[in-house]
Amino acid sequence: SLVKLRLDGNELGSLGDSTFSGLPNLLYLHLESNRIRWLSRGAFTGLAKLRFLDLSGNQQSSLRHPDIFGPLRSLHTLLLASNSLRQLTGGLFQHLPGLAKLSLSGNRLSHLAPDAFRGLGSLKELRLEGNLLSHLPATLLEPLDSLEALDLSRNALTALHPAAFGRLGRLRELSLRDNALATLPGELFASSLALYRLELEGNAWSCDCRLRGLKRWLAAWHSQGRLLTVFVQCHLPPALAGKYLDYLQDAQLPLPQDGGPCPDDASPSPPSPEGLGGNKSAAGLPPGPPPAASTSRLMMGVPMAASPTPAPLPSAAAWPRRAGAFGVPPLVSDPCDFNKLFLHNLSVEAVGSSWVTVRWAVRPHRSPRLLGPARFRLLFDRFGAAVKFQRFVYLPERGEPAATLRELRPDTPYLVCVEGVLGGRVCPVAPRDHCAGLVTLPEGGTAAAGGSRGPDQQLLTLVLLAVNALLLLAALAAWAARLLRKKVLGRRRRKAAPVHVRQLYSTRRPLRSMGTGVSADFSGFQSHRPPRGAAACALSEADLIEFPCERFMDSGGGRHGDEHLLQRFTD
């Protein structure tokens, strides 16, 4: 009945045949951080239900027999990281049709067979970072049509075949950082329609005409809001070293230094005398808006010195300028002033399960011809997350002030801010009307156009809070009214005149003879005794009971005989 077995952190050196044959229900097997150098072909016999196998941190140098993983038909995760693997033979994982995650990072892989990943049609995550790969076979990734995340960082890749990712239609995350890439073909990612995260930094990029296709593809995808920020910092030629590809015009990308040809669609234009200086405003372009491919992407922490410096404006273009008699909009050249005074009212227009559409407004303005029209970028970040997630999406020039952010998670709140870009310069200003918080709908929510939306959770929460507040106010009002009433009544009682008691009634016995003012018992007591002739005592007219005074004043012998009657009368 064993389901999970941990043997990690020991000194196991090998696994023989049928080592785990008595564990038919085992699901999780941890063998990491041992000294395993040798695996028998039948080491995993009997583990037909195993879903997780961790062999990382061992000393395996080769895996040559596909039958090693043959019994693991239900395997979902296989970790082979931090071993000493040098190559992968063909068909090694062909008996793992349900494998979804494979980690080969931190090995010494320098060669991969073209069919090394055959049979992995369900694989979603492949990690190959930290190896010695200098190239990838053109057909290596073709069987991985379900792949969503691929990490090739920290290798020695110098070039990639244009069709290397042609079959990866579901690829969402790709890392090529910290390699030896100098150029990439423009059609390399054209088939990866789901790609939204691409890491290209840490390479020695040669910013020549061979990168124009990649530059245009990046601009097109960023204009649609489908791709997060991508950094391509030039290393060569020396005149463009340290500059970002997004700041350069096509005319600024020269011929390759090695004398190689440019692609057919990227013939170089004659650069201006200042074309290699990185000055967009002095690049010798004709008047009018620059092409849509000239996008710029910044990230907090990148020094502004790396960005191009716009040409000095003539004195007549000083801002602010009041509108003249003809109502000419003011001229603005400072992105900070543009953000503060002309950009406002960012709002959420539509929300889906993994996307959101935001819209904002722009007041009438003019920008200098050399700077071109104002562009916008959206900063969105996971709100309240411990790990920063600052990403930018740049919109095309002369575009509508609206954007759709995709690939969002429904369980994560986001903070979205809009900023203006003038002449390649941006001023990060985020006042209240430049930012908005948003939460996407859960999976299965029907928030699309025409769909019936469920109850607004935020509105429901506000209603409940309002009802609770009203109940609390009602309770406080009742308590205050009761306290005030007590105080008012107490004052009235203290100020009222003293009351004189005129009649006192006894509740010990009921009064049966209200006419004469004498109880029936006392009347009966007087009826069988002769009157003694004594006059009644002079009592006040307000007294309730009248009786002969001599009965109480008499100290004769009859007093002792009537003690019980007197006691009764007293009662």
Side-chain angles (χ1 to χ4, degrees):
S1 300
L2 191 65
V3 173
K4 185 175 183 179
L5 176 59
R6 299 201 59 164
L7 294 171
D8 52 298
N10 288 281
E11 297 185 2
L12 298 176
S14 62
L15 295 179
D17 290 338
S18 304
T19 302
F20 308 100
S21 60
L23 306 175
N25 295 316
L26 194 65
L27 299 179
Y28 303 92
L29 179 57
H30 291 261
L31 294 169
E32 66 270 22
S33 302
N34 280 277
R35 298 182 180 180
I36 300 176
R37 295 186 178 182
W38 178 75
L39 291 175
S40 174
R41 293 187 181 183
F44 302 114
T45 301
L47 299 181
K49 297 183 180 179
L50 192 70
R51 291 183 55 81
F52 178 91
L53 176 59
D54 192 349
L55 286 168
S56 58
N58 284 281
Q59 300 177 5
Q60 300 179 73
S61 59
S62 64
L63 293 173
R64 300 180 180 273
H65 305 290
D67 296 337
I68 293 178
F69 303 111
L72 307 178
R73 294 286 182 175
S74 302
L75 195 63
H76 179 273
T77 302
L78 176 59
L79 305 180
L80 294 168
S82 301
N83 279 269
S84 301
L85 298 175
R86 298 181 181 273
Q87 61 180 0
L88 290 182
T89 59
L92 182 61
F93 309 107
Q94 62 181 346
H95 299 299
L96 304 177
L99 192 66
K101 180 178 180 180
L102 174 61
S103 177
L104 295 165
S105 59
N107 284 278
R108 300 179 183 178
L109 292 172
S110 59
H111 175 73
L112 299 177
D115 58 345
F117 301 127
R118 188 179 68 227
L120 297 180
S122 301
L123 193 67
K124 295 184 178 181
E125 181 177 352
L126 176 59
R127 305 185 65 89
L128 288 167
E129 73 272 17
N131 284 280
L132 303 175
L133 297 173
S134 59
H135 69 283
L136 297 179
T139 60
L140 176 68
L141 304 176
E142 286 187 359
L144 309 180
D145 52 0
S146 298
L147 194 65
E148 297 180 359
L150 175 60
D151 194 343
L152 291 167
S153 61
R154 296 187 290 113
N155 278 276
L157 295 173
T158 57
L160 290 174
H161 193 274
F165 309 121
R167 299 293 183 90
L168 305 184
R170 300 182 181 181
L171 188 64
R172 301 172 66 247
E173 301 181 15
L174 174 61
S175 179
L176 293 171
R177 63 186 305 166
D178 299 327
N179 279 275
L181 295 171
T183 184
L184 286 178
E187 66 275 14
L188 181 63
F189 312 108
S191 301
S192 303
L193 301 179
L195 187 65
Y196 83 98
R197 185 169 188 173
L198 177 61
E199 297 180 352
L200 296 177
E201 56 266 31
N203 291 277
W205 296 107
S206 179
C207 292
D208 51 40
C209 58
R210 294 174 296 181
L211 283 181
R212 290 183 184 177
L214 176 64
K215 182 175 181 291
R216 293 171 182 172
W217 177 83
L218 291 174
W221 279 57
H222 277 101
S223 66
Q224 302 174 20
R226 301 168 63 180
L227 190 66
L228 301 185
T229 304
V230 180
F231 298 102
V232 180
Q233 190 173 17
C234 300
H235 183 72
L236 292 174
L240 299 179
K243 299 186 180 300
Y244 289 91
L245 180 65
D246 303 325
Y247 284 107
L248 304 177
Q249 301 289 349
D250 287 350
Q252 296 177 255
L253 301 178
L255 290 170
Q257 292 184 346
D258 56 2
C262 288
D264 296 337
D265 58 343
S267 57
S269 302
S272 63
E274 300 179 0
L276 298 180
N279 195 331
K280 295 178 67 175
S281 59
L285 296 179
S294 61
T295 59
S296 58
R297 278 171 289 280
L298 301 175
M299 189 175 79
M300 295 181 179
V302 177
M304 294 302 295
S307 61
T309 304
L313 299 176
S315 58
W319 190 90
R321 175 185 294 178
R322 298 181 180 274
F326 300 98
V328 179
L331 184 68
V332 55
S333 59
D334 188 355
C336 294
D337 292 329
F338 176 78
N339 290 339
K340 291 179 181 178
L341 303 177
F342 298 94
L343 192 62
H344 63 101
N345 289 346
L346 176 68
S347 60
V348 179
E349 191 174 55
V351 180
S353 60
S354 61
W355 57 271
V356 65
T357 300
V358 294
R359 183 178 294 275
W360 57 94
V362 181
R363 295 185 176 94
H365 70 283
R366 293 183 299 131
S367 58
R369 186 181 63 179
L370 296 178
L371 297 182
R375 303 181 63 237
F376 305 99
R377 75 173 183 180
L378 289 177
L379 162 66
F380 64 103
D381 191 2
R382 290 184 296 219
F383 183 75
V387 180
K388 292 300 180 182
F389 187 73
Q390 296 174 348
R391 292 295 183 270
F392 296 107
V393 173
Y394 282 73
L395 304 182
E397 297 178 358
R398 302 185 182 275
E400 186 181 4
T404 299
L405 303 177
R406 303 183 185 276
E407 303 293 343
L408 303 180
R409 298 177 56 182
D411 57 347
T412 303
Y414 291 88
L415 181 67
V416 177
C417 301
V418 61
E419 297 168 348
V421 181
L422 286 177
R425 295 184 303 165
V426 63
C427 180
V429 179
R432 180 178 302 176
D433 54 354
H434 293 182
C435 296
L438 55 95
V439 179
T440 55
L441 298 178
E443 293 293 341
T446 56
S452 60
R453 298 185 59 179
D456 193 344
Q457 300 296 329
Q458 296 182 354
L459 181 61
L460 182 60
T461 303
L462 292 177
V463 170
L464 293 178
L465 291 176
V467 171
N468 292 336
L470 291 177
L471 292 177
L472 181 60
L473 290 176
L476 291 176
W479 175 79
R482 184 177 181 182
L483 181 62
L484 183 62
R485 182 179 179 184
K486 287 184 178 180
K487 290 184 177 181
V488 171
L489 292 179
R491 291 179 181 178
R492 290 181 179 179
R493 290 176 180 176
R494 287 194 298 269
K495 294 181 180 180
V499 179
H500 299 281
V501 180
R502 299 298 301 254
Q503 296 181 354
L504 181 65
Y505 297 92
S506 174
T507 58
R508 192 72 177 266
R509 290 178 179 276
L511 300 178
R512 299 193 179 110
S513 179
M514 297 302 294
T516 59
V518 182
S519 65
D521 295 337
F522 192 71
S523 299
F525 168 72
Q526 289 183 328
S527 62
H528 68 273
R529 294 192 60 183
R532 301 185 65 174
C537 295
L539 300 174
S540 173
E541 59 180 3
D543 293 337
L544 179 63
I545 302 177
E546 297 181 358
F547 51 89
C549 295
E550 66 273 10
R551 181 165 300 281
F552 301 98
M553 300 301 179
D554 188 10
S555 60
R559 180 179 179 86
H560 301 285
D562 298 332
E563 285 181 355
H564 63 286
L565 295 176
L566 292 177
Q567 183 64 36
R568 182 177 180 183
F569 178 77
T570 305
D571 294 339

